[in-house]
Amino acid sequence: MFGQMRQLAQAAVVAAGRLSSPALGTPASLLASKHLPRGPALGTPGLASSAVWASVRGQRGVLEAAARLGGARGYCSAPRVAPRQGPVGWVSLALTCATGGGLLYYYERERSRRLESISGKTGPSVGKAAIGGDFTLQNANQDGKKFSTTELHGKYALIYFGFTMCPDICPDEMEKMAECVDLVAKGGGEVVPVFVTIDPERDTVQRVKEYVKEFHPKMVGLTGSVEACKDAARKYRVYHHRTGAEGDPDYLVDHSIIMYLVDKGGEFITFYGKNLEAKQMADAILEEMKRLGH
């Protein structure tokens, strides 16, 4: 009998706990007053009924006390679970889009401004580039005769700085220069190809003379003292640096690979890099000649 009483009491406690669960959303006081049995509702006569009722009534009293305590504090005895929110809210998403749009607008505006500045749409440039100028060396074609670039005035000139012992770059560029000169001639223009050494210690007059003849009959080869060649390279902002061990006769010279176009007055016009082909360079030179009135 007592086993049955205990089971009934436990069942009543479990039922009361389920009825007061937060999922139902009902105040504990309402559960205690409506759903717990009163009097002989258990349907078990005698001592068992009284004992079970006493146990259930005790559980009811606990629930009612908890409900009163929750009501006094302004909340239900059953805790409410706050709804979950996603990792990104609408506000944060809107702020992110606004920030990204602003950065993109700023980037495009700066890019357009720089492109206009480069293309010259912002107005004509003032002054001239600090590149070029006349210099004096020895003309290898004339067995070392003193030569000043003023002798080139009245003609366009295409100047290249290199050295005769260059294994690959210089020969390729010299061939390109020779082809370009011929293409300019076919287009009705004239430009004098000029080779200036940056390795005068090895590039003697005779060596340079033989070298330039291999590429074009009109090519002028220039050499001179170390200081004179450095001065010429400095005026055209030519980078060059000797590499290899000290005292090694087979050293190489690292240098910039650029051809400089000079007008009939000896003034620097523009330059052409290694990426241009002979045809492209010739077309560009003819366009410059046309712009300057040939």
Side-chain angles (χ1 to χ4, degrees):
M1 180 179 65
F2 289 102
Q4 292 177 351
M5 291 169 57
R6 185 168 58 251
Q7 292 175 0
L8 289 172
Q10 291 173 351
V13 171
V14 171
R18 288 178 179 175
L19 289 172
S20 63
S21 66
L24 295 175
T26 307
S29 60
L30 183 61
L31 294 173
S33 62
K34 287 187 175 182
H35 297 285
L36 290 180
R38 298 178 182 274
L42 293 173
T44 306
L47 179 62
S49 175
S50 301
V52 172
W53 172 245
S55 174
V56 171
R57 186 173 54 187
Q59 295 295 331
R60 177 186 172 192
V62 172
L63 292 172
E64 288 177 343
R68 286 195 298 273
L69 181 60
R73 295 186 178 180
Y75 56 83
C76 178
S77 60
R80 293 181 178 273
V81 179
R84 281 191 166 184
Q85 294 183 353
V88 180
W90 287 107
V91 176
S92 60
L93 181 61
L95 289 174
T96 302
C97 292
T99 303
L103 291 174
L104 181 61
Y105 169 77
Y106 176 78
Y107 167 77
E108 290 295 335
R109 188 183 67 177
E110 287 297 307
R111 179 174 175 272
S112 299
R113 185 180 65 82
R114 290 178 179 273
L115 287 175
E116 288 179 358
S117 176
I118 293 172
S119 62
K121 293 181 180 179
T122 57
S125 60
V126 179
K128 62 180 181 179
I131 301 177
D134 290 320
F135 54 84
T136 301
L137 289 172
Q138 293 175 274
N139 190 337
N141 305 64
Q142 299 178 353
D143 298 324
K145 181 181 178 181
K146 187 176 179 180
F147 178 88
S148 172
T149 50
T150 56
E151 297 181 35
L152 296 173
H153 290 185
K155 299 178 182 179
Y156 287 94
L158 191 60
I159 305 175
Y160 178 78
F161 292 81
F163 65 111
T164 63
M165 296 187 71
C166 181
D168 47 19
I169 299 297
C170 289
D172 291 343
E173 291 299 294
M174 296 287 278
E175 288 179 356
K176 184 171 73 174
M177 188 194 314
E179 182 181 355
C180 173
V181 169
D182 290 339
L183 289 172
V184 169
K186 288 180 180 179
E190 182 183 5
V191 60
V192 179
V194 180
F195 170 82
V196 182
T197 183
I198 53 174
D199 183 23
E201 294 176 321
R202 293 183 299 184
D203 286 346
T204 61
V205 169
Q206 187 62 33
R207 188 181 191 93
V208 173
K209 181 179 181 179
E210 294 174 357
Y211 185 73
V212 295
K213 283 195 306 185
E214 295 292 329
F215 299 101
H216 200 280
K218 293 184 178 180
M219 186 174 292
V220 177
L222 302 177
T223 186
S225 66
V226 172
E227 288 304 318
C229 290
K230 281 185 178 180
D231 177 65
R234 190 181 303 114
K235 287 184 175 180
Y236 280 85
R237 304 293 189 267
V238 177
Y239 163 78
H240 60 100
H241 176 71
R242 178 172 170 173
T243 63
E246 189 68 27
D248 183 3
D250 296 325
Y251 63 86
L252 296 176
V253 181
D254 188 19
H255 64 93
S256 52
I257 308 169
I258 295 175
M259 296 184 195
Y260 303 86
L261 181 64
V262 178
D263 67 12
K264 294 181 178 182
E267 298 291 336
F268 166 78
I269 301 175
T270 188
F271 65 89
Y272 306 103
K274 184 177 181 295
N275 58 316
L276 287 181
E277 299 293 333
K279 179 65 167 58
Q280 295 173 310
M281 197 160 59
D283 291 342
I285 291 173
L286 289 169
E287 189 64 30
E288 290 292 343
M289 290 178 174
K290 180 180 178 181
R291 182 179 67 85
L292 296 172
H294 228 286

